[in-house]
Amino acid sequence: MKIDKKTILKIAKLSKIKLKENEIEEFANNLSSILDWVEQLNETDTDNIEPLNNVSSSKLPLREDKTVSNNSSNQVLNNAPEKVEEYFIVPKVVE
Amino acid sequence: MNNIIKGKKFNWELVVGIEVHAQISSNSKLFSSSPTKFGSTPNSQVSLVDAAMPGMLPVINEFCITQAIKTGLGLKAKINNKSIFDRKNYFYADLPQGYQISQYKHPIVGEGKVEIDLPDGQSKKIRIIRLHLEQDAGKSLHDQSPNKTYVDLNRSGIALMEIVSEPDLSSAEEAAIYINKLRTILRYLNTCDGNMQEGSLRADVNISVKKTGEKNGTRCEVKNLNSIKFIKQAINYEAKRQIDILEDGGNIEQNTLLFDSKLGITKMMRNKEEAHDYRYFPDPDLLPLEIEDKFISDIKNTIPELPDEKKQRYIDQYKLTKYDSSILISEKDTSEYFEKILISNQELKNHTKIISNWIISELFAYLKKDDKQIKQSPVSPENLGKLILLIVNNTISGKIAKEVFEEMYVNKSDPQSIIENQNLTQVTDTKEINKIIEKVLQNNQDKLSEYKNGKNKLFGFFVGQVMKNSNGKANPKIVNELLKEKLN
């Protein structure tokens, strides 16, 4: 499957990655060949087979509705590039 | 009901569907053990899972599953034995994971329905498409600084139920009734507190218009409405906006809109050049959720009497009108108050209409004035029952009862002691009443002769005078009878 320049730019935007002009071409080629390789899977007949969500045979583990307050807010805010009082501060993002 | 909107050129119909985000009442979050308490210090309820630190894994809260199933059963919906959690990918500062864990193709609850009562007495069935579990995002504050956004992740990861309706609603009023009904059901089930001010219940509203008999038009979605008033305003504004565009020969673009509650208008969200691409895929950290029938039937056994059934019982068993019943059941606390009166005063079981009137007119008026909930009522159901009993057995008149009620409300006292202290017991002794009548007639000789000369409407004047002279304590029925005897 051929990935064109437009698709590469869209993926870059969704991934919040900036690409240089020469990289666009490079990634387009790389991704196209990866997809070509993966497309071999299409040769397998999967009609009437349910999609596999997980290879594990165990069941979804459940948790009791109990709270644990480990006061991790200091730890959490330690990673903030900027904080005021108890808030994370980020560049203005208004939609 | 007639919901035709007249435009300048054509008649239009409104088509509305609603996605409600209802916060599940639970102690801890959907996939972490952080508490969910509203109004806590910013970022004080954020675990390393909620902050999406590398290597953290989600573990689902069993109670949230129970709550979702319970709600599904309350919506008469199909519960799916297998559902799957997906990642909905988008980038925003208050979403640390970079994706929201939600359910896309395989929700926990399938098709259901909600019955709403319209003002004209008709009922309407609103179809529910699905209910699924998902995480809430954090909260962004944009008004704290001119060039920064403040982020609080306390809400991040709290469990939500997204309840999606078919576009079966045809007016802003129907939408409001639907939201109210849904909220009542959630509160009966204790699965969501329904508190819109605190954001426990928010709605995204899809709105389109069409000419009568034609296909639905292109819809616009107004996001994140947190009051019923705003929902109605947004729908009415959007209807007019879309009709104006179409009648001027334009087209509606499918857009996501925000509602400006100060101006009462909808606005386009800014970055619309690219439609959202959520790239849903099954979350590899979470196995499919498999639920056995036994688990569902155990929950079924815990479902309380729901609003529709309670209303029908009030109509059948208590002989109340549909209108009175729907008011009494609209809040669980109100229906409990009503039923407590009956339990504590068995003699009142044939006087449900009076009880209902006292709650709906007197008690509600007082509570509303003080902005109190019925749970905080200074008049207990037991005492209101006693008061009504005193009216029913003719110990006091209805008029005096209102005064006694005021005293009960202000001083939290019981009616019997107020009546005894103030000597308010109704006078039913005919001798005593006759004495008062004599006095009134004597003092009003002129009116008496006018009456005898045919001015019949003075009868009311005499009744009033007698009541006044008895300080309102005479039994009005007896006064009427005795006066008739005397005058005719």
Side-chain angles (χ1 to χ4, degrees), chain B residues 252-264:
Chain B
I252 303 297
E253 268 181 75
Q254 182 164 346
N255 265 321
T256 305
L257 308 169
L258 288 177
F259 182 68
D260 183 324
S261 57
K262 285 197 191 86
L263 300 175

Side-chain angles (χ1 to χ4, degrees), chain B residues 139-358:
Chain B
K139 200 166 90 188
S140 296
L141 296 112
H142 303 295
D143 53 2
Q144 305 289 308
S145 145
N147 50 5
K148 300 283 182 184
T149 292
Y150 286 42
V151 179
D152 171 11
L153 297 180
N154 277 349
R155 230 174 51 186
S156 164
I158 284 183
L160 300 179
M161 298 179 278
E162 180 171 328
I163 303 166
V164 186
S165 86
E166 290 279 2
D168 288 345
L169 300 156
S170 328
S171 69
E173 285 66 38
E174 283 187 14
I177 296 168
Y178 168 72
I179 295 283
N180 266 321
K181 183 61 180 286
L182 192 57
R183 189 165 60 164
T184 303
I185 295 171
L186 295 170
R187 283 187 174 165
Y188 268 64
L189 293 165
N190 275 326
T191 55
C192 166
D193 66 24
N195 190 328
M196 295 186 90
Q197 286 93 13
E198 293 181 2
S200 306
L201 199 89
R202 301 165 339 237
D204 298 343
V205 183
N206 284 293
I207 304 156
S208 67
V209 295
K210 63 169 184 178
K211 284 185 213 159
T212 306
E214 292 192 358
K215 273 202 323 197
N216 290 356
T218 307
R219 66 192 159 86
C220 286
E221 182 180 21
V222 187
K223 283 260 182 207
N224 228 0
L225 295 162
N226 63 358
S227 89
I228 288 179
K229 190 176 135 204
F230 296 159
I231 291 172
K232 284 166 87 172
Q233 284 179 351
I235 292 173
N236 286 329
Y237 179 85
E238 238 341 83
K240 184 170 183 315
R241 185 185 75 87
Q242 293 183 15
I243 289 170
D244 286 350
I245 290 174
L246 292 169
E247 295 204 331
D248 288 345
N251 285 313
I252 303 297
E253 268 181 75
Q254 182 164 346
N255 265 321
T256 305
L257 308 169
L258 288 177
F259 182 68
D260 183 324
S261 57
K262 285 197 191 86
L263 300 175
I265 62 170
T266 60
K267 281 182 181 168
M268 204 146 5
M269 284 173 83
R270 217 196 296 160
N271 65 3
K272 61 138 205 165
E273 72 271 14
E274 198 164 1
H276 275 298
D277 183 350
Y278 290 130
R279 294 152 289 147
Y280 280 100
F281 66 91
D283 191 321
D285 290 341
L286 290 158
L287 291 158
L289 170 58
E290 291 181 48
I291 301 163
E292 284 170 25
D293 288 337
K294 168 89 170 60
F295 191 77
I296 300 170
S297 59
D298 284 350
I299 296 171
K300 212 170 208 163
N301 292 333
T302 69
I303 301 266
E305 184 180 38
L306 290 168
D308 286 339
E309 294 141 25
K310 199 183 275 290
K311 188 177 73 189
Q312 197 53 49
R313 182 166 64 83
Y314 281 17
I315 295 169
D316 297 341
Q317 184 182 342
Y318 300 137
K319 311 290 175 221
L320 287 168
T321 61
K322 197 172 167 186
Y323 176 79
D324 284 350
S325 305
S326 48
I327 292 179
L328 291 175
I329 61 106
S330 64
E331 291 285 344
K332 197 176 166 195
D333 291 340
T334 306
S335 72
E336 277 170 7
Y337 190 98
F338 170 77
E339 289 180 27
K340 269 190 198 148
I341 293 181
L342 287 173
I343 291 165
S344 58
N345 296 278
Q346 299 283 343
E347 307 92 317
L348 287 176
K349 69 173 190 295
N350 294 320
H351 300 281
T352 48
K353 175 69 188 163
I354 303 182
I355 300 174
S356 158
N357 287 348
W358 272 85

Side-chain angles (χ1 to χ4, degrees), chain A residues 63 65 73 86 90 92 95, chain B residues 28 43 59-60 142 145 271:
Chain A
R63 198 186 85 241
D65 185 29
S73 79
E86 307 293 320
V90 299
K92 192 115 180 165
E95 283 206 69
Chain B
S28 66
N43 292 306
V59 185
I60 198 164
H142 303 295
S145 145
N271 65 3

Side-chain angles (χ1 to χ4, degrees), chain B residues 78-89:
Chain B
K78 181 176 176 293
I79 310 299
N80 292 324
N81 293 97
K82 183 173 176 181
S83 63
I84 289 167
F85 290 99
D86 298 278
R87 293 187 179 179
K88 178 182 180 177
N89 299 277

